[in-house]
Amino acid sequence: MSFDRIRQSQDGENMSRKIFSLFAVTLFLELIIVPSLSTSVNAESNTSSKSENIQNTLVADVTFEPPGSDKPDDTAGGASRGGECPQELMSIGGCVIPLIPSNTEGLTITGRPTFFIYLPENSAKEVFFSLVDENNKNHYQAKIPLTGKSGIIQFTLPENAPPLEVGKNYRWAFIAIGEQGLRPDSPGVQGRIRRIEPNVTLQTQLQNVTPIERAALYGKNGIWYETLASLAEARKLQPNDPNLVNKWEQLLKSVGLEAIASQPLLN
């Protein structure tokens, strides 16, 4: 082989090495830079998502808009909220008070809703819960233990309770059980509830939202029980958030429950 041919062969090998080296460096940079860029983009996306969620929590306005004209004629009015409690005692939270709107029906979209009542400081150890259907037939009963503290308790129908049927009206009651058991004069309250089927628009809107956003959607659609339950859930997730405390108090005040708006959630 001549010297020129040897030189050309060496030059070709050197060029191949340079091309391979350049390709290796490029690939190495891609392996480092691309994941870094992806991580950066994901981090920015997560930060943006978190910021958006925080912003939604701050701006979500939870109000209750009473349902329209399709409510039944025998829905609960304001009279059932106070029972036999004198107005002067009710105004300072001195009686058992159900957390239901005044002069409007209570709607739910779930078969096992959550009920809320306020209990003043008392000696009762239990409260009796009763739920009957529109034919006055017993639907579910339970005894709920108490701590004696003043505040708002909640009770959700358990899984072993038959679910509420869509389109039917029910009446519920909470009665405090004293040392002498249930008596005709035992303090208690009652309310009414009707289960409805949510429309397609609301079902879509309720997907992938936070509890505070759910509360706002339920409130705008006049669904009281889930409005209150969703807002209570948001408060439990962030018990020290003053913004959520304020939303809770404003909601209760808007439906005439200002006397107990600042009372603590006990469970």
Side-chain angles (χ1 to χ4, degrees), residues 64-72 75 104-105 107 194 220-222:
F64 178 69
E65 300 179 12
S69 58
D70 62 337
K71 60 184 178 181
T75 54
T104 189
E105 66 178 325
L107 298 180
R194 180 164 69 104
K220 291 182 182 299
N221 286 272

Side-chain angles (χ1 to χ4, degrees), residues 111-112 139-140 157-164:
R112 297 181 176 86
H139 187 83
Y140 185 77
L157 282 184
E159 289 298 320
N160 64 344
L164 304 186

Side-chain angles (χ1 to χ4, degrees), residues 143-209:
K143 289 183 178 180
I144 307 165
L146 300 176
T147 62
K149 296 180 180 180
S150 173
I152 295 169
I153 67 169
Q154 64 184 80
F155 174 72
T156 303
L157 282 184
E159 289 298 320
N160 64 344
L164 304 186
E165 294 185 39
V166 174
K168 288 193 175 182
N169 303 310
Y170 298 83
R171 188 173 71 254
W172 55 265
F174 284 92
I175 305 173
I177 303 175
E179 294 181 356
Q180 298 179 343
L182 284 174
R183 295 169 51 88
D185 59 347
S186 296
V189 290
Q190 64 176 341
R192 295 181 187 268
I193 186 171
R194 180 164 69 104
R195 183 183 178 187
I196 64 170
E197 193 73 43
N199 58 49
V200 176
T201 300
L202 179 58
Q203 291 182 35
T204 302
Q205 292 174 333
L206 288 171
Q207 296 178 6
N208 302 318
V209 294

